[in-house]
C-alpha cells in the first residue's frame, strides 16, 4: 500500500489516490502518504479537486451506477477493480461535462478558485459577483450582451444599457428585465433567485416552456422542465460578503454547502441526519466553522488529514 506512484500525470495520480483512500482497507499510512503528495505541489491539489468535482457529476451521467460503485458500494470491490471503476467514471464525467458546455467564442473569462469570492464591474455598468469555484464568459458586442455560466454561482446586478442581456447556463437562457438576481448551476439543475425586477427563463430543450420569475421568487429548472416557484430568501446572497446564513438546515446539507469553500472531503455520520443548524457563518475560515459545530451541536470533528474530515456523534 505504500509503494511510490509511478504515473507522472497529476490527474492519473489523483485517480489512484482516490482508489486507495476510498477502498475499505485504506490504512493510516495511505492517508499520511496522500497528505504528503497533496502538499508537495499546488498542481496536485488542483488535480485532486478536479477528481472530486468530476465525481460530483456522476449523478447526472446517464449510467449512474458507474459513479455510485466508487463511493456508495465499495464492499467486496478489490483495489484493482476500484481503480478500473474510478478511471472509467472520470472519463464519463469529463465527456458529460463537455456535452453540457456552450460553444466557446471570443470573450472575457472571469474565474474564482476554491474558497474565493470576487466582484467585478463590467463595461456596461453591470456588477458581477462570482462565488467559490465559478467561471463565466462575458460576450458583449454592438447589439447584445451575453454572460455564459460555465460552472458555479453568480449574482448579477444589471447595468442600464439598451442592448438586451442574456445569461446562459447548461439548462437554459435567462433574460433579465432590469434586475438583480442569483444563478447557481449544480450537477443536475440551475437555480434562479430574483431579488429585483423580473427574469424570463427558457429551458434549452423545451423552448416553448418559458416563464417569467418576478422579484421575491426563485425556481429550479433543467433543460426540459421548470419546477414550482419558491419564495426567495433575502439572505441567500450573503455569500457575496463571505457569509453562509442558514435556518434549521439539516447538518448534512449545511456541510455540503460549507464544503464548496474548502479543498478535500467532509463526511457526516448518518446517525446525525436529524440534526439541524441555524446561524450565520464565515466561509473564509471553514476550519473555524467546523470547530463551531462542536460548540453548538453534540458532535465531534475528526481530521484524518487537513483534507479528510469526519463529523461524528459526540458519544461514538
Amino acid at each position: 500500500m505504500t509503494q511510490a506512484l509511478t504515473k507522472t500525470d497529476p490527474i492519473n495520480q489523483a485517480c489512484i489516490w482516490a482508489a486507495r483512500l476510498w477502498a475499505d482497507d485504506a490504512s493510516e499510512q495511505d492517508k499520511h502518504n496522500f497528505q504528503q503528495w497533496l502538499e508537495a505541489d499546488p498542481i496536485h491539489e488542483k488535480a485532486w479537486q478536479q477528481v472530486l468535482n468530476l465525481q460530483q457529476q456522476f449523478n447526472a451521467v446517464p449510467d449512474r451506477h458507474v459513479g455510485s460503485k466508487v463511493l456508495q458500494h465499495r464492499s467486496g470491490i478489490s483495489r484493482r477493480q476500484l481503480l478500473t471503476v474510478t478511471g472509467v467514471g472520470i472519463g464519463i464525467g469529463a465527456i458529460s461535462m463537455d456535452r453540457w458546455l456552450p460553444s466557446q467564442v471570443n470573450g472575457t473569462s472571469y474565474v474564482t478558485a476554491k474558497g474565493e469570492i470576487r466582484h467585478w464591474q463590467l463595461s456596461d455598468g453591470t456588477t458581477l459577483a462570482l462565488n467559490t469555484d465559478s467561471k463565466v464568459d462575458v460576450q458583449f458586442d454592438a447589439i447584445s450582451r451575453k454572460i455564459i455560466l460555465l460552472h458555479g454561482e453568480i449574482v448579477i446586478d444589471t447595468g442600464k444599457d439598451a442592448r438586451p442581456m442574456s445569461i446562459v447556463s447548461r439548462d437554459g437562457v435567462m433574460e433579465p428585465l432590469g434586475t438583480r438576481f442569483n444563478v447557481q448551476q449544480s450537477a443536475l439543475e440551475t437555480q434562479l433567485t430574483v431579488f429585483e425586477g423580473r427574469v424570463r427563463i427558457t429551458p434549452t430543450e423545451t423552448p416553448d416552456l418559458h416563464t417569467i420569475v418576478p422579484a421575491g421568487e426563485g425556481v429550479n429548472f433543467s433543460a426540459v422542465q421548470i419546477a414550482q416557484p419558491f419564495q426567495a430568501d433575502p439572505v441567500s446572497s450573503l455569500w457575496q460578503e463571505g457569509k453562509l446564513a442558514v435556518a434549521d438546515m439539516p447538518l448534512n446539507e449545511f456541510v455540503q454547502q460549507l464544503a464548496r469553500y474548502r479543498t478535500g472531503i467532509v463526511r457526516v455520520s448518518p446517525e446525525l441526519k436529524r440534526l439541524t443548524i441555524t446561524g450565520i457563518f464565515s466561509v473564509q475560515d471553514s476550519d473555524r466553522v467546523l470547530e463551531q459545530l462542536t460548540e453548538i451541536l453534540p458532535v465531534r470533528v475528526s481530521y484524518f488529514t487537513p483534507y479528510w474530515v469526519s463529523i461524528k456523534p459526540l458519544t461514538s
Side-chain angles (χ1 to χ4, degrees):
M1 288 297 299
T2 60
Q3 71 269 27
L5 293 170
T6 57
K7 294 183 180 293
T8 57
D9 182 352
I11 294 294
N12 287 338
Q13 292 179 350
C15 288
I16 293 173
W17 277 120
R20 286 186 180 180
L21 295 174
W22 293 336
D24 290 329
D25 60 345
S27 68
E28 292 300 320
Q29 186 63 50
D30 286 327
K31 296 167 186 175
H32 174 73
N33 291 346
F34 165 72
Q35 183 178 351
Q36 288 187 320
W37 172 81
L38 197 64
E39 296 176 350
D41 192 321
I43 294 177
H44 294 172
E45 182 174 335
K46 292 181 180 179
W48 178 248
Q49 191 58 51
Q50 284 182 270
V51 170
L52 295 180
N53 288 342
L54 287 174
Q55 178 61 53
Q56 294 171 3
Q57 304 292 339
F58 285 139
N59 285 338
V61 177
D63 183 6
R64 296 167 183 252
H65 298 293
V66 174
S68 63
K69 288 179 183 177
V70 179
L71 292 181
Q72 299 173 14
H73 303 292
R74 298 194 304 271
S75 180
I77 299 178
S78 69
R79 183 170 306 283
R80 183 178 300 275
Q81 291 170 321
L82 190 58
L83 281 167
T84 301
V85 173
T86 303
V88 171
I90 293 299
I92 292 177
I95 293 171
S96 180
M97 288 177 67
D98 288 342
R99 185 183 70 246
W100 287 340
L101 297 181
S103 300
Q104 299 267 346
V105 297
N106 292 333
T108 302
S109 294
Y110 296 87
V111 183
T112 53
K114 190 84 167 181
E116 183 181 26
I117 299 170
R118 297 190 62 184
H119 302 76
W120 287 272
Q121 183 168 45
L122 306 182
S123 60
D124 67 335
T126 293
T127 58
L128 174 65
L130 267 67
N131 204 348
T132 174
D133 191 23
S134 301
K135 181 178 181 179
V136 300
D137 278 350
V138 175
Q139 301 170 5
F140 288 2
D141 58 30
I143 60 174
S144 67
R145 298 172 293 164
K146 180 185 293 185
I147 298 176
I148 300 174
L149 176 59
L150 299 175
H151 60 84
E153 182 174 16
I154 58 176
V155 162
I156 296 176
D157 194 342
T158 57
K160 295 181 179 179
D161 193 298
R163 294 170 296 174
M165 173 180 278
S166 60
I167 290 78
V168 181
S169 77
R170 175 195 63 235
D171 298 305
V173 178
M174 290 151 278
E175 300 169 277
L177 307 172
T179 185
R180 176 175 171 268
F181 56 99
N182 191 106
V183 182
Q184 181 180 2
Q185 181 171 276
S186 65
L188 297 179
E189 61 188 3
T190 296
Q191 182 179 91
L192 167 70
T193 307
V194 181
F195 304 113
E196 298 176 10
R198 298 176 299 159
V199 178
R200 179 194 298 272
I201 296 175
T202 304
T204 301
E205 297 180 17
T206 52
D208 292 336
L209 187 67
H210 57 78
T211 189
I212 294 178
V213 182
E217 291 188 2
V219 295
N220 295 308
F221 66 97
S222 68
V224 296
Q225 64 182 1
I226 301 174
Q228 291 296 312
F230 58 83
Q231 184 176 357
D233 187 348
V235 302
S236 63
S237 64
L238 276 180
W239 62 257
Q240 296 181 84
E241 303 172 20
K243 306 294 184 183
L244 179 58
V246 299
D248 291 325
M249 177 177 284
L251 177 60
N252 189 61
E253 184 178 341
F254 174 78
V255 170
Q256 289 176 358
Q257 291 296 319
L258 182 65
R260 297 169 60 199
Y261 298 91
R262 60 180 289 126
T263 299
I265 296 173
V266 183
R267 288 183 172 169
V268 180
S269 170
E271 301 166 87
L272 302 175
K273 64 181 180 180
R274 296 183 182 277
L275 291 183
T276 62
I277 188 167
T278 298
I280 299 178
F281 304 86
S282 172
V283 298
Q284 303 302 311
D285 188 351
S286 58
D287 284 318
R288 172 56 186 153
V289 175
L290 292 173
E291 181 182 343
Q292 287 177 310
L293 292 181
T294 67
E295 299 169 358
I296 59 180
L297 294 174
V299 302
R300 61 185 179 90
V301 177
S302 301
Y303 287 81
F304 293 108
T305 78
Y307 307 97
W308 188 290
V309 183
S310 295
I311 302 176
K312 302 178 181 179
L314 188 60
T315 56
S316 66

